[in-house]
Amino acid sequence: MKEIVGVLGQNLTLSAELGSAGDYYIRLHDYSSASSISLYSLKAGFTDFYIKNVSDSPDPFSPNADGQKDNTTIAATITAAGNWTINIKDSGGALKRTYSGTGSSINMAWDGKDGSANVVADGTYTYTIDATNPVNGKIAPTVSGTVQVDSTLPTATISSPIENDTVSGTVSILGTASDNNFSNYKVEYGQGAAPSSWILINSSSTSVTNGLLATWDSLKVNNGIYTIRLTVNDAAGNISTAQVKVNVDNIQITSVSISTNVINPA
């Protein structure tokens, strides 16, 4: 027996995996009255042919052929081998792609293209899965899910310092690192106009809009040309970068010493 507790007026969802198909009774207890308890029963039929464990991953994904999350896999399990169909529709209900197959396990990769091999527009897409048992003709209840297509690059801008600025001391690096599906950003620096390696200044999983991205202590490096780079990642695998070249010019007094010689001004 499975029990669910709820509040009067609240919708409840009952899901149960049963050992066999057939008719079952659902019993409801109404405790809203302090003087008595009301008991209700209803009859429900359960099928032994259905679709479960529905999932899609990654979500969101970016079908832009950059090698990062270009496909999403729609997966599900059928309680018996069946003929299954996946229909994918856009937010307006237009059919974009159909897949079909046979078996009890579904693992179908969608490349983000429609039936004419065109990449679909960014947005949320609904997929439905239907299945029919070829032995007895039973039809499984339709299941569905949603997946988001996002091929839009994140925003990555450095507003300060600007290209060829001369900087010194503590440098505030300002700009924007944002996206509707923002994941993270990092700010690095490298020596020269085309660095062969980069050193991390700051990283964060919080987006920034026209604000402080990082603080760089330029006193820790030798004077000269350096490149500052911002990299922004989103959850769909899209990556954007921005960089500026600066001249570090710190005036420092070094090799200070004290003489022990006695000076007599007389």
Side-chain angles (χ1 to χ4, degrees):
M1 178 178 293
K2 186 169 185 177
E3 179 180 0
I4 296 179
V5 178
V7 178
L8 185 64
Q10 178 189 58
N11 293 325
L12 297 177
T13 300
L14 172 63
S15 61
E17 189 167 326
L18 305 172
S20 60
D23 293 333
Y24 290 81
Y25 284 90
I26 299 174
R27 187 167 59 186
L28 305 176
H29 294 268
D30 182 1
Y31 296 96
S32 60
S33 174
S35 58
S36 63
I37 300 174
S38 299
L39 179 63
Y40 305 92
S41 295
L42 59 91
K43 187 178 180 180
F46 288 83
T47 179
D48 59 354
F49 184 69
Y50 56 94
I51 306 166
K52 60 181 181 177
N53 301 329
V54 179
S55 66
D56 57 82
S57 180
D59 184 7
F61 74 110
S62 53
N64 53 13
D66 67 351
Q68 300 290 327
K69 299 183 179 181
D70 291 326
N71 304 314
T72 189
T73 298
I74 300 172
T77 303
I78 311 174
T79 53
N83 300 323
W84 52 264
T85 301
I86 300 175
N87 288 311
I88 303 172
K89 298 181 179 181
D90 64 17
S91 58
L95 181 64
K96 292 299 181 180
R97 195 70 178 266
T98 297
Y99 295 100
S100 60
T102 301
S104 59
S105 179
I106 301 173
N107 280 281
M108 178 55 63
W110 180 36
D111 57 6
K113 297 179 180 180
D114 60 20
S116 299
N118 298 312
V119 176
V120 300
D122 284 7
T124 300
Y125 290 79
T126 299
Y127 59 86
T128 57
I129 307 177
D130 296 283
T132 302
N133 190 321
V135 177
N136 54 28
K138 286 186 176 181
I139 299 174
T142 300
V143 296
S144 65
T146 61
V147 63
Q148 186 178 3
V149 174
D150 175 15
S151 296
T152 302
L153 293 176
T155 300
T157 60
I158 299 174
S159 58
S160 180
I162 61 174
E163 185 75 4
N164 296 321
D165 258 0
T166 297
V167 299
S168 61
T170 299
V171 182
S172 294
I173 302 171
L174 308 178
T176 296
S178 66
D179 188 82
N180 289 336
N181 291 305
F182 178 82
S183 178
N184 59 75
Y185 77 84
K186 62 181 177 180
V187 179
E188 304 164 292
Y189 76 90
Q191 189 170 16
S196 58
S197 61
W198 299 90
I199 298 173
L200 181 67
I201 303 173
N202 183 47
S203 63
S204 176
S205 58
T206 301
S207 63
V208 175
T209 301
N210 297 324
L212 180 64
L213 296 166
T215 301
W216 180 35
D217 184 1
S218 70
L219 292 171
K220 293 183 177 180
V221 300
N222 295 324
N223 288 344
I225 301 299
Y226 291 83
T227 300
I228 300 171
R229 182 174 70 177
L230 166 66
T231 303
V232 184
N233 298 275
D234 72 10
N238 299 301
I239 303 173
S240 291
T241 61
Q243 59 185 47
V244 294
K245 182 178 62 179
V246 297
N247 178 35
V248 174
D249 185 14
N250 287 303
I251 299 176
Q252 301 182 57
I253 301 175
T254 61
S255 303
V256 177
S257 63
I258 300 175
S259 174
T260 58
N261 294 329
V262 177
I263 299 176
N264 186 356

mmCIF file of all heavy atoms in Angstrom, residues 199-219:
data_model
loop_
_atom_site.group_PDB
_atom_site.id
_atom_site.type_symbol
_atom_site.label_atom_id
_atom_site.label_comp_id
_atom_site.label_asym_id
_atom_site.label_seq_id
_atom_site.Cartn_x
_atom_site.Cartn_y
_atom_site.Cartn_z
ATOM 1 N N ILE A 199 47.743 32.660 -17.130
ATOM 2 C CA ILE A 199 47.699 32.534 -15.673
ATOM 3 C C ILE A 199 46.358 33.085 -15.191
ATOM 4 O O ILE A 199 45.956 34.190 -15.575
ATOM 5 C CB ILE A 199 48.862 33.306 -15.019
ATOM 6 C CG1 ILE A 199 50.201 32.715 -15.488
ATOM 7 C CG2 ILE A 199 48.756 33.256 -13.493
ATOM 8 C CD1 ILE A 199 51.409 33.505 -15.025
ATOM 9 N N LEU A 200 45.678 32.313 -14.348
ATOM 10 C CA LEU A 200 44.340 32.685 -13.880
ATOM 11 C C LEU A 200 44.409 33.873 -12.924
ATOM 12 O O LEU A 200 45.221 33.906 -12.000
ATOM 13 C CB LEU A 200 43.681 31.500 -13.172
ATOM 14 C CG LEU A 200 42.253 31.721 -12.650
ATOM 15 C CD1 LEU A 200 41.280 31.901 -13.796
ATOM 16 C CD2 LEU A 200 41.836 30.550 -11.759
ATOM 17 N N ILE A 201 43.543 34.863 -13.169
ATOM 18 C CA ILE A 201 43.361 35.983 -12.250
ATOM 19 C C ILE A 201 42.142 35.749 -11.363
ATOM 20 O O ILE A 201 42.199 35.902 -10.149
ATOM 21 C CB ILE A 201 43.189 37.315 -13.012
ATOM 22 C CG1 ILE A 201 44.384 37.582 -13.918
ATOM 23 C CG2 ILE A 201 42.992 38.469 -12.034
ATOM 24 C CD1 ILE A 201 44.203 38.794 -14.821
ATOM 25 N N ASN A 202 41.018 35.346 -11.989
ATOM 26 C CA ASN A 202 39.780 35.127 -11.233
ATOM 27 C C ASN A 202 38.841 34.264 -12.054
ATOM 28 O O ASN A 202 38.851 34.291 -13.288
ATOM 29 C CB ASN A 202 39.096 36.464 -10.918
ATOM 30 C CG ASN A 202 37.842 36.294 -10.081
ATOM 31 O OD1 ASN A 202 37.846 35.578 -9.084
ATOM 32 N ND2 ASN A 202 36.750 36.908 -10.486
ATOM 33 N N SER A 203 38.005 33.482 -11.375
ATOM 34 C CA SER A 203 36.943 32.716 -12.019
ATOM 35 C C SER A 203 35.707 32.782 -11.137
ATOM 36 O O SER A 203 35.806 32.946 -9.919
ATOM 37 C CB SER A 203 37.360 31.261 -12.248
ATOM 38 O OG SER A 203 37.593 30.604 -11.013
ATOM 39 N N SER A 204 34.530 32.637 -11.774
ATOM 40 C CA SER A 204 33.291 32.757 -11.007
ATOM 41 C C SER A 204 32.157 32.060 -11.751
ATOM 42 O O SER A 204 32.154 31.967 -12.974
ATOM 43 C CB SER A 204 32.939 34.229 -10.791
ATOM 44 O OG SER A 204 31.693 34.365 -10.130
ATOM 45 N N SER A 205 31.193 31.564 -10.984
ATOM 46 C CA SER A 205 29.964 30.982 -11.552
ATOM 47 C C SER A 205 28.807 31.970 -11.458
ATOM 48 O O SER A 205 27.655 31.581 -11.651
ATOM 49 C CB SER A 205 29.616 29.676 -10.817
ATOM 50 O OG SER A 205 29.454 29.910 -9.427
ATOM 51 N N THR A 206 29.103 33.227 -11.173
ATOM 52 C CA THR A 206 28.092 34.282 -11.104
ATOM 53 C C THR A 206 28.293 35.237 -12.276
ATOM 54 O O THR A 206 29.401 35.741 -12.484
ATOM 55 C CB THR A 206 28.197 35.062 -9.786
ATOM 56 O OG1 THR A 206 28.029 34.160 -8.689
ATOM 57 C CG2 THR A 206 27.124 36.138 -9.705
ATOM 58 N N SER A 207 27.238 35.487 -13.031
ATOM 59 C CA SER A 207 27.344 36.366 -14.190
ATOM 60 C C SER A 207 27.572 37.809 -13.749
ATOM 61 O O SER A 207 27.215 38.199 -12.635
ATOM 62 C CB SER A 207 26.083 36.271 -15.053
ATOM 63 O OG SER A 207 24.949 36.725 -14.336
ATOM 64 N N VAL A 208 28.147 38.597 -14.638
ATOM 65 C CA VAL A 208 28.441 40.008 -14.373
ATOM 66 C C VAL A 208 27.972 40.821 -15.577
ATOM 67 O O VAL A 208 28.241 40.451 -16.721
ATOM 68 C CB VAL A 208 29.947 40.245 -14.151
ATOM 69 C CG1 VAL A 208 30.249 41.737 -14.002
ATOM 70 C CG2 VAL A 208 30.438 39.477 -12.926
ATOM 71 N N THR A 209 27.265 41.920 -15.317
ATOM 72 C CA THR A 209 26.844 42.824 -16.382
ATOM 73 C C THR A 209 27.358 44.224 -16.068
ATOM 74 O O THR A 209 26.965 44.827 -15.062
ATOM 75 C CB THR A 209 25.312 42.846 -16.515
ATOM 76 O OG1 THR A 209 24.838 41.520 -16.797
ATOM 77 C CG2 THR A 209 24.880 43.784 -17.636
ATOM 78 N N ASN A 210 28.255 44.700 -16.917
ATOM 79 C CA ASN A 210 28.858 46.031 -16.743
ATOM 80 C C ASN A 210 29.384 46.223 -15.322
ATOM 81 O O ASN A 210 29.062 47.203 -14.641
ATOM 82 C CB ASN A 210 27.841 47.135 -17.076
ATOM 83 C CG ASN A 210 27.398 47.098 -18.517
ATOM 84 O OD1 ASN A 210 28.187 46.798 -19.410
ATOM 85 N ND2 ASN A 210 26.125 47.384 -18.754
ATOM 86 N N GLY A 211 30.190 45.273 -14.887
ATOM 87 C CA GLY A 211 30.695 45.330 -13.513
ATOM 88 C C GLY A 211 32.115 44.813 -13.411
ATOM 89 O O GLY A 211 32.829 44.627 -14.411
ATOM 90 N N LEU A 212 32.536 44.569 -12.160
ATOM 91 C CA LEU A 212 33.896 44.116 -11.883
ATOM 92 C C LEU A 212 34.023 42.624 -12.160
ATOM 93 O O LEU A 212 33.319 41.803 -11.562
ATOM 94 C CB LEU A 212 34.250 44.407 -10.423
ATOM 95 C CG LEU A 212 35.650 44.001 -9.963
ATOM 96 C CD1 LEU A 212 36.715 44.808 -10.706
ATOM 97 C CD2 LEU A 212 35.794 44.178 -8.454
ATOM 98 N N LEU A 213 34.912 42.275 -13.076
ATOM 99 C CA LEU A 213 35.177 40.876 -13.412
ATOM 100 C C LEU A 213 36.327 40.301 -12.584
ATOM 101 O O LEU A 213 36.292 39.143 -12.174
ATOM 102 C CB LEU A 213 35.518 40.742 -14.897
ATOM 103 C CG LEU A 213 34.426 41.111 -15.891
ATOM 104 C CD1 LEU A 213 35.013 41.249 -17.289
ATOM 105 C CD2 LEU A 213 33.314 40.072 -15.880
ATOM 106 N N ALA A 214 37.343 41.132 -12.349
ATOM 107 C CA ALA A 214 38.529 40.656 -11.624
ATOM 108 C C ALA A 214 39.377 41.849 -11.214
ATOM 109 O O ALA A 214 39.242 42.954 -11.757
ATOM 110 C CB ALA A 214 39.342 39.702 -12.486
ATOM 111 N N THR A 215 40.253 41.600 -10.250
ATOM 112 C CA THR A 215 41.238 42.588 -9.822
ATOM 113 C C THR A 215 42.621 41.978 -9.997
ATOM 114 O O THR A 215 42.908 40.901 -9.472
ATOM 115 C CB THR A 215 41.015 42.983 -8.353
ATOM 116 O OG1 THR A 215 39.694 43.526 -8.202
ATOM 117 C CG2 THR A 215 42.025 44.016 -7.924
ATOM 118 N N TRP A 216 43.476 42.684 -10.741
ATOM 119 C CA TRP A 216 44.803 42.149 -11.091
ATOM 120 C C TRP A 216 45.886 43.012 -10.446
ATOM 121 O O TRP A 216 45.918 44.221 -10.627
ATOM 122 C CB TRP A 216 44.955 42.146 -12.612
ATOM 123 C CG TRP A 216 46.259 41.620 -13.120
ATOM 124 C CD1 TRP A 216 47.002 40.606 -12.593
ATOM 125 C CD2 TRP A 216 46.973 42.073 -14.275
ATOM 126 N NE1 TRP A 216 48.132 40.388 -13.331
ATOM 127 C CE2 TRP A 216 48.144 41.274 -14.385
ATOM 128 C CE3 TRP A 216 46.744 43.058 -15.226
ATOM 129 C CZ2 TRP A 216 49.075 41.449 -15.404
ATOM 130 C CZ3 TRP A 216 47.671 43.237 -16.252
ATOM 131 C CH2 TRP A 216 48.817 42.434 -16.341
ATOM 132 N N ASP A 217 46.780 42.370 -9.723
ATOM 133 C CA ASP A 217 47.916 43.058 -9.099
ATOM 134 C C ASP A 217 49.075 43.037 -10.080
ATOM 135 O O ASP A 217 49.824 42.057 -10.165
ATOM 136 C CB ASP A 217 48.286 42.369 -7.792
ATOM 137 C CG ASP A 217 49.393 43.109 -7.046
ATOM 138 O OD1 ASP A 217 49.858 44.163 -7.545
ATOM 139 O OD2 ASP A 217 49.801 42.633 -5.962
ATOM 140 N N SER A 218 49.210 44.115 -10.837
ATOM 141 C CA SER A 218 50.255 44.161 -11.863
ATOM 142 C C SER A 218 51.659 44.325 -11.279
ATOM 143 O O SER A 218 52.652 44.209 -12.007
ATOM 144 C CB SER A 218 49.969 45.288 -12.854
ATOM 145 O OG SER A 218 50.161 46.564 -12.263
ATOM 146 N N LEU A 219 51.750 44.609 -9.984
ATOM 147 C CA LEU A 219 53.064 44.729 -9.353
ATOM 148 C C LEU A 219 53.792 43.389 -9.264
ATOM 149 O O LEU A 219 55.000 43.347 -9.031
ATOM 150 C CB LEU A 219 52.912 45.322 -7.951
ATOM 151 C CG LEU A 219 52.461 46.781 -7.873
ATOM 152 C CD1 LEU A 219 52.151 47.169 -6.427
ATOM 153 C CD2 LEU A 219 53.527 47.715 -8.456
#
